[in-house]
Amino acid sequence: MTTREIFETMDYGPAPESAAEALDWIATRGPAFGHFIDGSFTAPGETFATRNPATGKELAQITQGTAGDVDAAVTAATRAFPKWGKLSCHARAKYLYALARLLQKHARLFAVLETLDNGKPIREARDVDIPLAQRHFYHHAGLAQLRDTEAPGMAPIGVCGQVIPWNFPLLMLAWKIAPALAAGNTVVLKPAEYTSLTALLFGQICQEAGLPKGVVNIVTGDGRTGEAIVTHPATQKIAFTGSTAVGRRIREQTAGMGKSLTLELGGKSPYIVFDDADIDSAIEGLVDAIWFNQGQVCCAGSRLLVQEGIADDFHARLKARMAKLRAGDPLDKCIDMGALVDPRQHQAISAMVDANTEGQIYRAPTNLPSQGCFYPPTLITGLSPAAPLMQEEIFGPVLVSTTFRTPAEAVEIANNTRYGLAATLWTENLNLALDIAPKLAAGVVWVNATNLFDASAPFGGIRESGFGREGGWEGLSAYLKPARKHTPIKPIAPVPAPATPEATGLDRTAKLYIGGKQARPDGGYSQAVWSKRGRLLGHAGVGNRKDIRNAVEAARGAGAWGKATAHNRAQVLYYVAENLAARAAEFQHRLREMTGCSKSRAEAELDASIARLFSYGAWADKMDGRVAQVPIRGVALAMREPVGVIGALAPDEAPLLGTLSLVAPVIAMGNRVILVPSAAYPLAATDLYQIFDTSDLPSGVVNIVTGDPQELGKTLAAHADVDALWSFAGGMDHAALEAASAGNLKRTWINRDAPDWAGASGEGRSFLAQATEVKTIWIPYGE
């Protein structure tokens, strides 16, 4: 056979990997496995079978975790937390380093076990999953070492409940456990019911590393076990990777419990190919984007968008490449595609494809094994952007495709989804790439590459792909909280109407402030605001859900603010401060009348408010992104972007300073805000209307709706066009706010403790981090 014939046929013999060592480990340690709790393995309880999806044969019996098992694990983690959290950073770093080294020493066993349990090709487990898991522990050993110097004033959260999926069992474990331990937390982790074996092997290496008892606990089982972890009153942090439906349920279940939450959910990621792209390279990238791990990847490039002029040629070449993909025994190193994880997953994919009524379906003529959960590489072309398969996550080796004409249309189609996890674009025009990447609604964007990951580069989504980041300093921050004294927020009641009101002059009614204009409340009601001495200070409108609707529409219409230069935003904030200073006596008098405070205290709050505006004017062009030090020939840019439209419930205890401490960071970072002022002292916010009007602030950037913070806050939380909700108001039903936010899975920052508004905790990076989202843009170097 000639070299040409070899390359034409791509025929080559099998290269099987032995499963003997992995099967021997199962037989020796099992074949029935208990949990890993408090540093040792428990006796098996009620069990279920875990099977090799490529053959259907049983591998082992896994214990179904009960509420009692979860409670035992949480108790062990709670007991271990004080000592582990107080260890020196260097001591924790040494443990993480030991875990990384042990992962290397057992690399082949982990890879084979992962392939047997999950069905992915051995070359993917060997060359991608296991090395990346090792990298996460090495990288987080470094973050652990540097935690105190680089994150001063921060402390670990406590016991972290973690629930991971079946598509990358060990890698997702590393993504969760490494930052939690580096920050000083303890962990109770539940692996997926289909793929628990590598997590249990990890429990073994925790013993080998001498990790203190209770620091890492692993409880196996199905969704009931995960729910018990999520809802356990002693877990302070929940980190979940999985479907959007389950993520929404977790948001609802944890509402009002005060738990920190990180959700990495589903996706329907666009793969955009422009007409100047290197087509063959783009096709090879696409093979990795959608048929890697049989398409069972949350960030899979499952929506192919091809520029119209090259679509026919691209699809023809793609079909030719698909025809050469090999499916079969995952332990064969020559295999491109292994088995789907379970027959139920196979049935779900088949049902979705069979229900499709649009376009043309091409199934690659791949020889599939007669047994096992195998599905052929599939391409469906000619779909409309609104077709169900273009909108819903299939989570299998099925690629759907449509075309576009212009870059603007490509962005519109790409963003036409409820998800926002990842995106890929291919073009030889760097200017075009750097123009399109920031416009894509995605937490990660790959340029002329796909599926690049590293422990130093933050990963996570927006919209219904969840919130929070994993990897790098951004991921570590999700496992830390401010180490400050707790001062619970207490509501301040409005001053009641006096029995004998003091005479007043000309009536003064504060309307709402929507779209740069004063507007009467939709309901037509106003509420009297009285001074401590019984003087009527004026009336404030009582806003309702229609007023919130109007404010959100105005904020959405002011999207250009996010594209303004940071320097321009800084100038506006300085101008607001200048105009406020010019009317200092008026605002000081208002504070004294409303709150009954002393002259010196009113002066101090006014001065602090002006300084606060200057601080965020200074921060506007200094809250930089960073270049992640990824081990490729290229860069990963972790860029700070505005969140979008933020609803903010202002505090009572510092009515002017608290209001500006929320508004200023929001607009400094390019967001728009709907502010609900203090119910006790609303005039502190309404007096700002003329300040904003005369400070070059574009209409719609700041909107103010007075009224009941609880009712207005719940409306903001439920609104699909609000991207985040901040609450510093007292007496709030936090559970109602967080439950309402589950509709579009918006970010919430619900504060039960009052910061010192005049001190360091009342401003700074924590506010700026909440006002920004990190987008990671990967740009490889060279040809």
Side-chain angles (χ1 to χ4, degrees):
M1 179 178 286
T2 67
T3 301
R4 179 187 178 90
E5 289 172 332
I6 292 174
F7 276 101
E8 285 291 333
T9 62
M10 295 296 285
D11 287 335
Y12 42 90
E17 174 82 26
S18 172
E21 288 82 359
L23 294 174
D24 181 64
W25 179 85
I26 293 172
T28 302
R29 279 283 178 173
F33 290 83
H35 311 298
F36 181 71
I37 296 175
D38 206 21
S40 61
F41 287 92
T42 67
E46 178 186 345
T47 62
F48 57 89
T50 184
R51 301 180 183 277
N52 182 341
T55 63
K57 294 181 179 179
E58 181 178 316
L59 292 170
Q61 288 286 320
I62 305 296
T63 293
Q64 170 60 46
T66 65
D69 295 327
V70 169
D71 191 61
V74 173
T75 299
T78 302
R79 188 167 52 244
F81 172 66
K83 186 175 181 180
W84 176 255
K86 291 177 182 176
L87 277 182
S88 70
C89 290
H90 177 59
R92 282 195 301 273
K94 289 194 294 184
Y95 281 114
L96 285 157
Y97 176 77
L99 290 171
R101 293 288 289 131
L102 286 164
L103 280 171
Q104 284 185 311
K105 293 175 183 178
H106 296 296
R108 204 67 166 193
L109 176 59
F110 272 108
V112 176
L113 196 61
E114 196 85 312
T115 294
L116 287 173
D117 207 18
N118 172 272
K120 65 176 58 189
I122 181 64
R123 62 184 181 85
E124 292 181 7
R126 179 197 65 197
D127 299 341
V128 179
D129 293 29
I130 310 307
L132 264 177
Q134 297 161 7
R135 163 73 174 152
H136 270 267
F137 278 97
Y138 274 122
H139 184 75
H140 284 89
L143 295 185
Q145 181 77 27
L146 301 175
R147 193 205 77 181
D148 282 354
T149 57
E150 295 301 311
M154 303 298 286
I157 293 174
V159 176
C160 300
Q162 303 178 326
V163 181
I164 59 174
W166 43 258
N167 53 344
F168 294 95
L170 183 69
L171 183 55
M172 291 295 100
L173 176 150
W175 279 27
K176 298 290 188 293
I177 289 181
L181 299 192
N185 302 283
T186 54
V187 167
V188 177
L189 178 137
K190 188 197 87 70
E193 59 184 295
Y194 298 147
T195 53
S196 301
L197 293 178
T198 49
L200 294 168
L201 176 55
F202 182 80
Q204 177 183 314
I205 73 164
C206 287
Q207 291 177 320
E208 295 178 16
L211 196 68
K213 294 179 179 180
V215 172
V216 169
N217 304 272
I218 297 168
V219 184
T220 56
D222 59 17
R224 293 169 293 175
T225 309
E227 184 174 7
I229 293 173
V230 165
T231 59
H232 197 287
T235 52
Q236 285 90 39
K237 159 82 180 181
I238 299 298
F240 170 77
T241 296
S243 73
T244 294
V246 176
R248 182 176 287 110
R249 177 64 178 150
I250 289 173
R251 171 69 287 180
E252 293 169 344
Q253 289 177 314
T254 58
M257 298 184 73
K259 296 178 187 287
S260 176
L261 197 60
T262 300
L263 301 176
E264 196 262 281
L265 308 177
K268 193 67 177 178
S269 301
Y271 191 98
I272 308 168
V273 182
F274 290 96
D275 57 10
D276 66 340
D278 180 336
I279 293 180
D280 290 331
S281 294
I283 287 174
E284 286 306 307
L286 186 55
V287 168
D288 185 43
I290 184 58
W291 292 300
F292 174 70
N293 200 22
Q294 298 72 251
Q296 299 170 129
V297 184
C298 55
C299 57
S302 55
R303 279 191 301 150
L304 172 62
L305 315 180
V306 187
Q307 199 152 15
E308 203 169 83
I310 63 167
D312 291 342
D313 181 29
F314 189 93
H315 288 145
R317 293 199 217 183
L318 177 59
K319 291 175 183 177
R321 181 67 180 88
M322 290 171 63
K324 296 184 182 299
L325 293 174
R326 294 164 59 97
D329 179 7
L331 286 172
D332 185 345
K333 302 181 191 69
C334 299
I335 289 304
D336 298 304
M337 286 179 53
L340 299 173
V341 73
D342 188 81
R344 284 176 283 186
Q345 182 68 8
H346 190 283
Q347 293 164 8
I349 295 168
S350 299
M352 292 185 72
V353 174
D354 293 344
N356 175 63
T357 58
E358 282 191 42
Q360 299 79 44
I361 299 178
Y362 172 78
R363 291 184 174 89
T366 305
N367 293 324
L368 300 180
S370 58
Q371 62 176 350
C373 301
F374 293 89
Y375 196 94
T378 302
L379 169 66
I380 306 177
T381 56
L383 293 176
S384 64
L389 291 188
M390 288 288 287
Q391 294 292 323
E392 298 301 324
E393 187 176 33
I394 301 173
F395 220 68
V398 180
L399 176 66
V400 297
S401 181
T402 192
T403 61
F404 65 90
R405 294 182 180 179
T406 66
E409 186 182 8
V411 171
E412 185 175 0
I413 296 173
N415 292 343
N416 180 28
T417 173
R418 59 194 175 98
Y419 298 109
L421 188 53
T424 303
L425 62 95
W426 285 79
T427 175
E428 292 295 288
N429 184 340
L430 183 60
N431 288 332
L432 178 61
L434 296 181
D435 176 57
I436 296 299
K439 297 177 180 178
L440 297 173
V444 180
V445 178
W446 293 294
V447 176
N448 293 339
T450 196
N451 276 349
L452 298 177
F453 306 98
D454 186 64
S456 68
F459 180 88
I462 59 175
R463 295 177 171 177
E464 293 192 24
S465 290
F467 47 80
R469 293 293 179 265
E470 295 181 297
W473 290 108
E474 296 82 359
L476 187 73
S477 68
Y479 288 91
L480 294 169
K481 65 180 181 181
R484 67 170 186 249
K485 182 181 178 181
H486 297 291
T487 306
I489 295 176
K490 297 180 180 179
I492 297 175
V495 176
T500 308
E502 181 181 324
T504 60
L506 187 65
D507 178 72
R508 184 174 183 182
T509 300
K511 300 176 183 176
L512 311 183
Y513 188 66
I514 296 175
K517 299 178 181 179
Q518 295 189 45
R520 291 184 175 87
D522 174 79
Y525 288 96
S526 295
Q527 185 174 1
V529 181
W530 299 92
S531 75
K532 296 285 186 179
R533 296 183 303 169
R535 181 171 177 269
L536 181 63
L537 301 179
H539 289 81
V542 178
N544 61 22
R545 59 186 308 111
K546 287 187 177 180
D547 297 311
I548 293 292
R549 179 199 65 189
N550 295 338
V552 173
E553 288 180 359
R556 282 290 169 190
W561 179 249
K563 300 175 184 177
T565 66
H567 173 73
N568 175 248
R569 296 196 298 270
Q571 295 304 301
V572 170
L573 283 162
Y574 290 137
Y575 201 10
V576 172
E578 178 185 333
N579 287 327
L580 180 60
R583 295 171 58 182
E586 173 190 339
F587 276 86
Q588 291 170 14
H589 180 67
R590 174 69 86 187
L591 285 172
R592 293 181 65 190
E593 284 195 309
M594 281 193 308
T595 67
C597 69
S598 65
K599 180 180 178 181
S600 60
R601 180 167 179 176
E603 290 175 349
E605 182 165 345
L606 190 283
D607 291 343
S609 298
I610 295 170
R612 190 64 36 88
L613 289 164
F614 260 73
S615 291
Y616 287 114
W619 272 113
D621 59 356
K622 298 174 186 67
M623 186 63 174
D624 299 325
R626 66 183 181 89
V627 177
Q629 298 296 316
V630 293
I632 67 165
R633 191 166 179 264
V635 294
L637 306 175
M639 308 297 293
R640 292 277 177 181
E641 294 187 335
V643 172
V645 175
I646 297 178
L649 311 181
D652 294 321
E653 60 270 19
L656 179 62
L657 178 57
T659 290
L660 291 174
S661 294
L662 302 188
V663 169
V666 168
I667 65 176
M669 295 295 102
N671 302 280
R672 293 86 73 202
V673 63
I674 294 97
L675 178 87
V676 178
S678 161
Y681 310 124
L683 301 185
T686 62
D687 285 350
L688 292 169
Y689 296 171
Q690 291 179 350
I691 299 289
F692 293 143
D693 287 341
T694 56
S695 301
D696 295 339
L697 186 71
S699 62
V701 173
V702 174
N703 306 272
I704 300 176
V705 180
T706 53
D708 180 1
Q710 180 62 47
E711 290 303 314
L712 298 177
K714 190 174 179 181
T715 301
L716 285 166
H719 202 295
D721 276 339
V722 174
D723 301 299
L725 177 69
W726 298 4
S727 174
F728 286 86
M732 302 299 292
D733 182 350
H734 298 134
L737 294 180
E738 291 180 327
S741 75
N744 71 338
L745 287 167
K746 62 173 57 67
R747 289 170 52 173
T748 58
W749 191 21
I750 306 298
N751 289 270
R752 292 163 173 80
D753 293 329
D756 175 7
W757 290 109
S761 63
E763 66 172 316
R765 286 188 177 272
S766 59
F767 289 82
L768 295 165
Q770 291 291 339
T772 54
E773 195 64 270
V774 175
K775 174 181 283 183
T776 305
I777 303 176
W778 291 74
I779 308 174
Y781 293 153
E783 294 289 331

